[in-house]
Amino acid sequence: METQNRRFYGSLSTFQWFIFLLANSVALPIVIGGIFHLSIEEVSALMQRTFLVVGLSSFIQGWLGHRYPIADGPAGSWVSVFVILADVAVRQGQSLKETLQILEGGFLIAGLLLLILGLSGYFHRLLFLFTPLVTGSFLLILALQLSGVFMKGMIALQGESSLPDYGTAVISFGVFILVILLSVKGKGWIKNYAVLIGILSGWLLYTLLGKSSASVHTNESWVKLPDLFAWGNPHFNAGIVITAILFTFILVSNTIAAVSAVSQVVPEAPAKLKETLNRCGIAGGVSHLLCAVFSTIGVVPLPVSAGFIRLTEQTRVRPFLVACLALSGISLVPVIVNFLALLPGPIATAALLASFVQMIGIAFQSILKETLDQRRLTILGITLLISIGLMFLPSTAFQGLPSILQYVFSNGLLVGTMIVILLEQLWKVDKV
């Protein structure tokens, strides 16, 4: 009987990880499809390729990389590059398809740089830059930056001039509150599966109220292999080379932040952090090469996994690895992909936002590892004021600058991370 119970709860853990991986993968392909005016068929194909790459990348990291249960997913910060390059292409009369090919080239460059850093052993040598204040600031800015994206998703806001869908907003915030209440007040398995219960309950209510208008297509083959370089052969230019080099630095900080955050909530940590980070670099390089080959959004280890683990207390790696393989496997079956694509975006983002509540707590724990003296308070204040202030500026604010500078100054996360690292290194404590 005990063995059966263990298998049952193990299956539930796997299913919950599967839903979490899915929820992190389903929204951004739709966003990219809208930005680049992709057809419904192209968005569906992008979603299939995203499921495949997310599953493979998460499995490689969990098995050979950091060896933690950390979900990989499309990077919201990469999406900002997509948005800016698409805007530049439209204003300059360039082809959006060629822009996607340039982004493939950027993934190849970033992947090769990460591989070099990991294989050479230099990845871990960047660790001195990421003090508790830097890591905590990165997590905090990331949560605040993505909260805006998630809020728009929860109220089904399609554009700047559109009105929210208040019915959808009520359901979404109901899911958000339900997940928080179950994770705080729930007991036993109810607490552990709060995210799963919230998503399934919201999905059911969303369907019963007639909010879901999509349907499953059944006229496709049972198995369909994804296309390679679906956007065309990769292109390169000076702008994407510089962008990829800069973004590789953010990928390093993202990886270190994710590992640091999860290490605070997972009891059994890897023995040697240096070796762990070097393996992360190698695995991250492979992941970005896969993103280029399969033409998807760049995937990264998601720091929000720490919030999910704290919410659900799912710390075992094996159910996570099984869920990763399951996501990659079902990506080859169009009928299942089309069905999973029916998961309402507002419901998925509501459950993810609940996980970000925990991630903000982890960010403050990291910041408070060291005493907040006048120096650290000043650095934190400058970082947050500038990075968050940039998020409120209109997208046209830096229109007159070269495309590479448009990307830098339009990305509050990148600017904030650079500021806190520079101030931490340049403003040293006076030794008495």
Side-chain angles (χ1 to χ4, degrees):
M1 185 66 179
E2 184 179 346
T3 302
Q4 291 179 342
N5 288 338
R6 191 182 301 114
R7 289 177 179 174
F8 174 73
Y9 287 118
S11 299
L12 277 182
S13 299
T14 298
F15 186 55
Q16 185 162 241
W17 270 116
F18 176 83
I19 293 294
F20 182 71
L21 288 163
L22 175 68
N24 278 288
S25 308
V26 75
L28 292 184
I30 298 174
V31 173
I32 295 301
I35 293 171
F36 286 88
H37 309 298
L38 303 181
S39 66
I40 295 176
E41 292 76 16
E42 289 173 324
V43 172
S44 178
L46 174 58
M47 196 169 291
Q48 177 202 21
R49 300 193 303 271
T50 301
F51 291 165
L52 176 64
V53 171
V54 166
L56 290 176
S57 178
S58 300
F59 181 83
I60 292 171
Q61 283 282 17
W63 181 38
L64 300 173
H66 48 61
R67 298 175 184 172
Y68 279 119
I70 303 176
D72 277 20
S77 43
W78 262 125
V79 173
S80 65
V81 182
F82 276 73
V83 172
I84 292 166
L85 291 185
D87 182 60
V88 170
V90 170
R91 285 190 282 103
Q92 296 182 354
Q94 299 173 349
S95 167
L96 288 176
K97 180 180 179 182
E98 185 177 353
T99 301
L100 290 172
Q101 293 171 324
I102 291 173
L103 285 162
E104 285 180 344
F107 294 146
L108 288 176
I109 295 170
L112 290 174
L113 288 175
L114 287 173
L115 275 176
I116 292 171
L117 287 173
L119 291 172
S120 64
Y122 279 96
F123 196 99
H124 81 271
R125 296 188 180 183
L126 299 175
L127 185 61
F128 76 96
L129 296 174
F130 299 95
T131 62
L133 181 60
V134 171
T135 301
S137 299
F138 176 87
L139 291 173
L140 187 58
I141 299 169
L142 177 64
L144 295 175
Q145 179 170 291
L146 292 181
S147 66
V149 177
F150 288 165
M151 288 293 288
K152 288 181 180 179
M154 288 171 65
I155 63 177
L157 194 63
Q158 301 297 325
E160 296 297 330
S161 60
S162 64
L163 293 175
D165 183 334
Y166 295 108
T168 298
V170 171
I171 300 173
S172 300
F173 279 98
V175 170
F176 174 75
I177 294 170
L178 177 62
V179 172
I180 295 296
L181 287 176
L182 291 180
S183 63
V184 174
K185 300 293 185 180
K187 304 294 183 182
W189 68 272
I190 293 179
K191 175 183 175 69
N192 294 342
Y193 300 101
V195 173
L196 178 59
I197 294 171
I199 287 180
L200 294 180
S201 301
W203 193 352
L204 177 62
L205 183 59
Y206 195 87
T207 303
L208 292 176
L209 294 180
K211 293 290 184 180
S212 180
S213 58
S215 59
V216 181
H217 301 287
T218 58
N219 57 342
E220 298 191 48
S221 58
W222 280 103
V223 177
K224 181 181 178 182
L225 298 177
D227 296 328
L228 303 181
F229 295 110
W231 295 333
N233 293 326
H235 289 184
F236 301 91
N237 60 28
I240 197 62
V241 171
I242 297 173
T243 299
I245 293 172
L246 280 174
F247 206 84
T248 299
F249 190 77
I250 288 296
L251 296 176
V252 172
S253 63
N254 187 101
T255 300
I256 292 175
V259 172
S260 299
V262 172
S263 66
Q264 295 181 42
V265 295
V266 175
E268 295 182 4
K272 296 182 179 179
L273 182 59
K274 293 181 179 180
E275 294 179 3
T276 298
L277 292 178
N278 288 331
R279 292 196 307 265
C280 281
I282 297 171
V286 172
S287 297
H288 273 71
L289 295 180
L290 289 174
C291 292
V293 171
F294 289 106
S295 302
T296 68
I297 310 166
V299 299
V300 295
L302 300 175
V304 72
S305 300
F308 175 81
I309 294 171
R310 179 168 286 181
L311 269 177
T312 61
E313 299 182 358
Q314 303 294 337
T315 59
R316 295 172 58 217
V317 177
R318 184 173 179 179
F320 168 75
L321 294 178
V322 174
C324 297
L325 293 178
L327 184 64
S328 294
I330 62 95
S331 71
L332 305 179
V333 185
V335 173
I336 300 179
V337 172
N338 290 332
F339 173 74
L340 292 175
L342 299 181
L343 173 62
I347 304 304
T349 52
L352 291 178
L353 190 63
S355 297
F356 272 86
V357 173
Q358 299 295 327
M359 194 172 88
I360 287 180
I362 294 170
F364 279 114
Q365 286 178 347
S366 180
I367 293 171
L368 294 173
K369 277 186 177 179
E370 298 175 345
T371 304
L372 274 180
D373 54 19
Q374 187 61 46
R375 168 185 170 275
R376 291 189 177 89
L377 279 172
T378 304
I379 292 174
L380 180 62
I382 293 172
T383 300
L384 293 181
L385 283 174
I386 295 178
S387 60
I388 297 174
L390 289 173
M391 298 177 194
F392 286 97
L393 295 179
S395 58
T396 57
F398 305 105
Q399 187 172 306
L401 298 176
S403 57
I404 178 62
L405 294 180
Q406 288 184 42
Y407 163 66
V408 171
F409 291 115
S410 298
N411 193 321
L413 178 64
L414 175 59
V415 173
T417 303
M418 294 296 183
I419 289 174
V420 69
I421 289 176
L422 286 175
L423 290 178
E424 271 279 74
Q425 295 302 312
L426 297 177
W427 186 357
K428 295 296 185 180
V429 179
D430 295 330
K431 295 182 178 180
V432 181

